[in-house]
Amino acid sequence: DVKVTQSSRYLVKRTGEKVFLECVQDMDHENMFWYRQDPGLGLRLIYFSYDVKMKEKGDIPEGYSVSREKKERFSLILESASTNQTSMYLCASSLVGGQSTQYFGPGTRLTVL
Amino acid sequence: RKEVEQDPGPFNVPEGATVAFNCTYSNSASQSFFWYRQDCRKEPKLLMSVYSSGNEDGRFTAQLNRASQYISLLIRDSKLSDSATYLCGPYNQGGKLIFGQGTELSVKP
């Protein structure tokens, strides 16, 4: 069974803080993704990675960075959190290939005050 | 125009009803598509993929209309447990998914 875990289910941070969201998958997947989900806007891709140390911008990368030092771990970093980054953050992983199923983690509900 | 558009609903239907929702896409080059299901406060999970004209899995049928650029999801004999948000979109290069905003379904007793 594929398992994708995220470091926190709920997180409260203050404006200007640096925030780290961690994601770990146990199925040796090459691809990993970070999304945010907001009411009425659906899932929007922030960054993705096809391999260790590789990253590509998604649709809304501004204000975020990522790190992938190990195949199983993909971190999302908010360098200076702002209130408009309050959202549900979802990590996913998949095998390489255009039509591979993405397996999602349970999500982190981030609130920036 | 958005790449993927879905009617957000909510669709409120009684148990046993048949319900269908559509998902329109803008890129005519898209070849294959997906439907994910997301329960309240849970992560999305793949319901089915659609590669050609359609796909069927038990009570769930997905159809693709390339001429009009939409995919549909039909749920027959709705169950209370079908209540969820249904997300659709095309598979993209390199394993990326393009999601619509989702359609909320609520099945009532």
Side-chain angles (χ1 to χ4, degrees):
Chain A
D1 229 17
V2 177
K3 194 164 184 182
V4 180
T5 57
Q6 295 184 227
S7 49
S8 307
R9 290 301 301 271
Y10 300 93
L11 208 53
V12 180
K13 295 291 181 181
R14 297 206 174 273
T15 301
E17 280 192 83
K18 191 168 185 176
V19 182
F20 292 87
L21 302 182
E22 299 278 320
C23 174
V24 178
Q25 50 95 3
D26 66 357
M27 284 302 293
D28 204 34
H29 284 170
E30 292 84 3
N31 296 345
M32 295 189 76
F33 307 84
W34 274 107
Y35 297 89
R36 63 177 284 177
Q37 186 172 31
D38 301 287
L41 297 177
L43 281 155
R44 293 181 291 167
L45 183 63
I46 304 171
Y47 267 96
F48 59 103
S49 169
Y50 292 128
D51 203 349
V52 175
K53 297 191 185 296
M54 293 184 69
K55 60 186 179 185
E56 290 197 32
K57 293 179 180 180
D59 301 317
I60 51 165
E62 297 79 17
Y64 303 94
S65 62
V66 290
S67 172
R68 193 163 180 204
E69 296 296 319
K70 293 185 178 181
K71 191 174 185 180
E72 67 271 18
R73 190 179 297 268
F74 193 34
S75 302
L76 180 69
I77 304 151
L78 287 66
E79 294 290 340
S80 177
S82 63
T83 54
N84 63 11
Q85 292 178 309
T86 291
S87 187
M88 171 66 82
Y89 289 88
L90 287 155
C91 174
S93 72
S94 73
L95 291 168
V96 69
Q99 295 159 2
S100 296
T101 301
Q102 286 190 17
Y103 296 88
F104 285 83
T108 296
R109 169 70 64 185
L110 173 66
T111 302
V112 183
L113 301 175
Chain B
R1 184 183 171 187
K2 288 183 182 177
E3 287 191 79
V4 182
E5 295 204 58
Q6 294 183 253
D7 182 342
F11 284 61
N12 295 304
V13 302
E15 261 187 300
T18 295
V19 62
F21 9 91
N22 289 339
C23 169
T24 60
Y25 60 95
S26 61
N27 185 354
S28 59
S30 297
Q31 293 295 308
S32 53
F33 304 85
F34 58 85
W35 283 100
Y36 274 71
R37 171 202 169 117
Q38 185 174 23
D39 293 336
C40 188
R41 302 186 193 282
K42 297 281 189 180
E43 70 272 21
K45 292 183 180 179
L46 182 67
L47 179 64
M48 62 171 64
S49 298
V50 187
Y51 297 112
S52 54
S53 60
N55 194 5
E56 185 171 329
D57 183 6
R59 298 182 294 109
F60 297 81
T61 301
Q63 289 192 311
L64 170 60
N65 185 316
R66 291 194 189 276
S68 301
Q69 293 184 208
Y70 72 87
I71 55 173
S72 62
L73 181 68
L74 179 80
I75 305 175
R76 290 181 296 276
D77 188 22
S78 299
K79 311 289 185 194
L80 297 176
S81 57
D82 294 335
S83 296
T85 296
Y86 292 84
L87 304 158
C88 71
Y91 287 103
N92 207 348
Q93 282 188 332
K96 286 169 59 180
L97 305 181
I98 303 172
F99 286 93
Q101 74 268 42
T103 295
E104 183 183 348
L105 172 65
S106 180
V107 182
K108 307 290 188 185

